Amino acid sequence: MAKIPLLFCFFLSSFALVDFSTAAPKKFVGVYEIKKGDFSVNITNWGATVISVILPDSKGHLADIALGFDSVIPYINDTTYFGAIVGRVANRIAGARFKLNGKEYKLVANDGKNMLHGGHRGFSKVIWSVKEQKAGKFPYITFTYRSFDGEQGFPGNLAVAVTYKITGDYELSVTMTAKALNKPTPVNLAQHTYWNLAGHNSGDILSNTLQLFASHYTPVDSGLIPTGKILSVEQTPYDFLRPYKIGSRIDKLPTGYDINYVLDVSHPDHHGMKKTAMVKDNKSGRSMELWSNQPGVQFYTGNFLKDVVGKGGYVYGPHDGLCLETQGFPDSVNHPNFPSQIVNPGKVYRHDMLFKFSF
Ligand SMILES: *[C@@H]1O[C@H](CO)[C@@H](O)[C@H](O)[C@H]1NC(C)=O
Ligand SMILES: *[C@@H]1O[C@H](CO)[C@@H](O)[C@H](O)[C@H]1NC(C)=O
Ligand SMILES: *[C@@H]1O[C@H](CO)[C@@H](O)[C@H](O)[C@H]1NC(C)=O
């Protein structure tokens, strides 16, 4: 575990990034590894961000399949959300405002007039505490963050925790919880890793095969805000009910996939989770199965990646990675027909994800 005293640079250069009223006396930013055999995952407490995921391919060659940066520093001003936990409310909130119990809340707009991924200083841009790290048969690490009433405009104090755990051979689970402490608040956390099963530096993911267990999606306007409709994927490029190559119909969309799917209701059969998606890469032979307990998944093909200098100097471009961000529906706070994301005081939000890799 490498500890970098980043706090010092904040004093010098990035004053606005740290709210000293809530910063614990000494908060270090470090890189933490959880590892089992030749499967290893590195995570920093800056944004509880996954920095690398390393595993073999069918020929035994190791590769890092998560896009990102060599050190923690570039994550500070990063706008891609590589590997981060995003919140308090992931995705977009139209007009950066919502009403709850008759009161209007004005949020920090950071995507034109909308809020994206919790604002300028969402959970991906704060220092989390390392609560516990354990090696052993099922290595894990737990990060916590105490969000305060009014942070980025959201109501109430919120106690947030994220655990990354290796639960089996080439299996990574992510558990996110958030307890509302004194006021009702929307909560919608998401894990924002960009995956490239052939290796983070191997070009685009368009030849990957994707299967998504979702018969419906929530269409959006030109600002990527849901219209409120829930449409069938049938006869559209959004249909991945059977496995399709990601690139096979991407030309029919303006910039690529960046859309929320409504996951089909099935009998949950893995610790309350249902199968969400399968991705296969033929070049490396790697595949990834994703399970979750969430109602939706945002499928994003890295459309906005452009000239991002990443690990080893590799320059990421459009479609060099894909995100499968399980979550509630975008802008739910402004769409009464979408599943509610309101968590009442004393109640706990819980989001489970399980990634099963094979090769
Ligand atoms: C992961 O973190 C460990 C401990 O900080 C470090 O030794 C290792 O080099 C890191 N691996 C990668 C791929 O960054
Ligand atoms: C982040 O951006 C700010 C404002 O442009 C700049 O002052 C700061 O040096 C940047 N920090 C890093 C670590 O690049
Ligand atoms: C992947 O490889 C298998 C067997 O080698 C082949 O049947 C399949 O069509 C390939 N899929 C794609 C999307 O290229």
Side-chain angles (χ1 to χ4, degrees), residues 67-176:
L67 275 60
F69 304 108
D70 283 319
S71 76
V72 179
I73 306 291
Y75 286 95
I76 294 170
N77 284 347
D78 168 55
T79 55
T80 68
Y81 301 93
F82 279 158
I85 297 294
V86 295
R88 182 180 301 207
V89 174
N91 222 307
R92 290 178 176 78
I93 295 181
R97 61 176 60 210
F98 68 97
K99 267 197 189 139
L100 179 58
N101 301 333
K103 186 170 164 27
E104 173 151 275
Y105 292 93
K106 288 197 175 66
L107 307 169
V108 173
N110 63 329
D111 181 57
K113 58 185 178 30
N114 306 320
M115 171 183 263
L116 175 63
H117 292 331
H120 277 302
R121 208 178 77 89
F123 296 173
S124 53
K125 294 281 182 274
V126 296
I127 302 175
W128 294 57
S129 303
V130 180
K131 190 178 165 229
E132 194 175 21
Q133 181 174 20
K134 279 223 172 95
K137 194 167 178 217
F138 304 115
Y140 69 88
I141 185 162
T142 299
F143 301 100
T144 57
Y145 178 66
R146 176 69 168 258
S147 178
F148 56 91
D149 189 9
E151 188 172 26
Q152 302 292 295
F154 289 107
N157 298 328
L158 189 72
V160 192
V162 176
T163 298
Y164 292 99
K165 183 173 189 175
I166 298 179
T167 48
D169 287 339
Y170 309 106
E171 268 187 35
L172 175 69
S173 80
V174 185
T175 308
M176 301 166 235

Side-chain angles (χ1 to χ4, degrees), residues 1-2 31 33 42 52 54:
M1 141 173 112
V31 176
E33 184 178 52
N42 274 11
S52 62
I54 296 177

